[in-house]
């Protein structure tokens, strides 16, 4: 009996009895032995993790999360049964919204799965998806899993070389691309991808003719040759403890790592983390969300795609140029009930409002300042149970703040989430002033996204919230303040890194706890605060441990002209800092330009400078601006807990950070190692 037949045999038996024990010895012997080479010394580790795509793992089921494991297909069938005739996906074609119901969505996924099988997708091989969010992205992702493959997102910003690494590492049989621009990347590397059998382009006409290159319409028609029974045999062979998704890390400290996620990782997290965030099932309220963040990142994928299926959410797709300024247009049109952004997205919204305010009249400025201060105070100290809500905040909200939220597209938004990177206190406070509470979530690709959640019922300022019910945390190597490395246990925890046994062993301890590499502490009520990352922790020549984020945030809070601040000083005698200034961006490339933003120009005027560009300030070492920045640094230093945590030197870089410049990752999180390499001469000049 070959591997495929073994899977079918067990799948049929499990479907008939409905009582298959995923963690039983029979399961190990029936599934794990054909897939894995298990030695007696490695048996314990192999049951909790694996590094091969056709491996299976022991699920972390215990009394805290006893829910029956299900596959992605099981979850979708339940969705169709409950929400089949509700709209699931909406996208604009020629200026008009086109809608797909959950029943249609499911059938399209089956049709794409058949097409993948026709093209020769092998069990446990990958389909790479390269492009901006769209119904075709979702259908490809789900169809891949139905067909027994592994969905692998490839960042749309990747170079051809980066695309090659991912596609080759995951053994991609098929790659689905958005348009000719993305196709060109694959054409450059096609001959170096031995497993690649076909490419599908889902938007635009084909500008290249090849027998193994298909339009979306041609691709979907290929599925007509595959029977329902053939597809169902593959679907029924799938188990919740097998891999169905690969998420590649950003690769800031070496090659990207392929994070293997199981069906259970996806289905359990989609159900339980979303409910911890107060997302509602459609029978209570159909949630409405806008999809725009990169789906290659687990935060967007679990929030947009998998939670959408689990609870019957209505997903609208933003335009591909969403992050260039059109996102707000989509939000205003859609009026979502929930919205998620990475910190940089929230910061950009904040900067836009500040710029608009700076250009308004004195009366408007004063009214907004008053309304925001009232709202901030109320949100920081909300009324206790039984207390009446203050009158002034209600007046401020009705006449002023609600109009700004409407302008942003948040009139009906009940939950605003921030994740994927730390968010500054300044940003949190600003949105509190608009009567918008940002609910932080915390996790990793390795925890299928959110392991810790905030919500309207679980919130504390500058806290990530509490562990999702069923998830556990512990802290190791704690210091005197209670800060220690955060470790995870639960059904969110991933299967292992693809083909990287050493890296996998590094992150799991002997008891199977996942070590995050992040530092944090928990209060008496269970709220988590993340205070730094071990690899980013600065250890001075004097041996003092300094988490950089808190100091960097303080600098940006005191200096509104500063866009990015990067603390330097590992193994050095003192701390120094790289600064970038807020500048406008090219809307086509998102490359930072030389021209200062209105907020930055206002800062210059207030400190006595007439500068309007970055080059003026840096090239001429503008005395007024440099003096003001030093004064801001001095204020930060005055609150330092020790001399070692004072910033002794700093410099302004000639250009702001960007994805295209290599300093930011796809979710706009700073890449510290890349920055240190790129600006090594500036760093050396400090010392």
């Amino acid at each position: 009996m070959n591997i495929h037949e073994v899977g079918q045999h067990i799948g049929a038996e499990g479907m008939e009895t409905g009582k298959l024990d995923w963690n039983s010895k029979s399961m190990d012997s029936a599934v794990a032995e054909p897939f894995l080479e298990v030695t007696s010394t490695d048996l314990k580790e192999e049951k909790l993790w694996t590094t091969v795509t056709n491996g299976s793992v022991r699920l972390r089921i215990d009394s805290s999360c006893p829910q029956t494991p299900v596959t992605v297909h099981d979850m979708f069938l339940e969705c169709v049964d409950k929400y089949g005739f509700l709209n699931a996906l909406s996208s604009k074609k020629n200026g008009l919204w086109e809608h797909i119901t959950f029943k249609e969505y499911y059938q399209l996924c089956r049709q794409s799965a058949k097409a993948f099988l026709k093209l020769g997708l092998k069990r446990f091989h990958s389909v790479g998806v390269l492009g901006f969010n769209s119904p075709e992205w979702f259908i490809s992702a789900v169809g891949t899993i139905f067909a027994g493959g592994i969905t692998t997102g490839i960042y749309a910003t990747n170079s051809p070389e980066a695309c090659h690494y991912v596609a080759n590492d995951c053994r991609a049989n098929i790659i689905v691309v958005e348009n000719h621009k993305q196709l060109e990347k694959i054409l450059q590397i096609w001959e170096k991808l031995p497993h690649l059998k076909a490419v599908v382009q889902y938007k635009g006409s084909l500008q290249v003719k090849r027998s193994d290159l298909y339009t979306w319409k041609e691709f979907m028609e290929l599925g007509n040759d595959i029977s329902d029974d053939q597809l169902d045999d593959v679907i029924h062979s799938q188990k919740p403890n097998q891999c169905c998704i690969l998420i590649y890390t950003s690769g800031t400290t070496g090659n990207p790592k392929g994070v293997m996620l199981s069906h259970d990782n996806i289905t359990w997290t989609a159900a339980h983390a979303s409910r911890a965030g107060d997302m509602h099932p459609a029978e209570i309220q159909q949630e409405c969300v806008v999809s725009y963040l990169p789906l290659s990142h687990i935060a967007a994928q679990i929030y947009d795609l998998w939670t959408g299926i689990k609870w019957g959410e209505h997903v609208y797709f933003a335009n591909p140029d969403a992050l260039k300024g059109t996102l707000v247009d989509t939000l205003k049109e859609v009026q979502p009930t929930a919205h998620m952004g990475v910190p940089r997205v929230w910061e950009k919204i904040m900067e836009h409002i500040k710029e608009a305010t700076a250009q308004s009249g004195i009366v408007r400025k004063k009214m907004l300042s008053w309304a925001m201060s009232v709202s901030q105070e109320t949100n920081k100290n909300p009324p206790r149970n039984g207390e009446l809500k203050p009158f002034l905040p209600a007046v401020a909200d009705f006449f002023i703040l609600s109009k700004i939220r409407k302008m942003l597209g948040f009139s009906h938004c009940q939950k605003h989430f921030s994740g994927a990177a730390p968010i500054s206190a300044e940003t949190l406070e600003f949105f509190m002033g608009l009567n918008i509470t940002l609910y932080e979530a915390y996790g990793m690709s390795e925890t299928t996204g959110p392991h810790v959640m905030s919500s309207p019922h679980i919130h504390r300022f500058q806290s990530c919230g509490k562990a999702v019910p069923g998830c556990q945390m512990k802290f190791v190597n704690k210091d005197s303040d209670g800060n220690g490395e955060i470790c995870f246990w639960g059904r969110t925890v991933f299967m292992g890194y693809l083909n990287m046994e050493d890296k996998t062993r590094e992150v799991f301890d002997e008891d199977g706890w996942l070590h995050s590499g992040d530092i944090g502490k928990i209060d008496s009520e269970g709220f988590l605060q993340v205070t730094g990352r071990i690899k980013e922790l600065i250890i001075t020549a004097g041996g003092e441990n300094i988490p950089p984020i808190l100091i960097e945030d303080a600098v940006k809070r005191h200096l509104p002209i500063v866009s990015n601040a990067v603390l330097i000083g590992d193994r050095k005698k003192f701390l120094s800092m790289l600064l970038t200034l807020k500048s406008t961006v090219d809307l086509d490339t998102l490359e930072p330009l030389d021209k200062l933003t209105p907020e930055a120009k206002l800062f210059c005027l207030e400190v006595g400078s007439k500068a309007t560009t970055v080059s003026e300030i840096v090239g001429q070492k503008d005395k007024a601006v440099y003096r003001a920045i030093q004064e801001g640094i001095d204020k930060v230093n005055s609150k330092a807990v020790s001399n070692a945590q004072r910033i002794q030197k700093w410099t302004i870089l000639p250009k702001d950070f960007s994805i295209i410049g290599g300093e930011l990752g796809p979710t706009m999180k700073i890449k510290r190692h890349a920055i240190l390499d790129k600006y090594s001469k500036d760093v050396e000049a400090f010392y």
Side-chain angles (χ1 to χ4, degrees), residues 498-518:
L498 177 61
N499 301 327
M500 291 185 174
E501 185 170 328
D502 290 346
K503 295 291 184 183
T504 304
R505 288 183 181 277
E506 282 178 16
V507 296
F508 285 117
D509 63 23
E510 292 181 357
D511 297 318
W513 284 80
L514 170 65
H515 287 239
S516 69
D518 290 326

Side-chain angles (χ1 to χ4, degrees), residues 459-466 473 475 481-482 520-529:
H459 176 257
R460 181 159 293 174
F461 184 69
Q462 279 200 292
S463 160
C464 302
K466 296 182 180 182
M473 290 187 297
F475 300 80
D481 294 324
K521 60 182 178 181
I522 195 166
D523 68 16
S524 59
E525 295 181 43
F527 285 93
L528 172 70
Q529 182 183 16

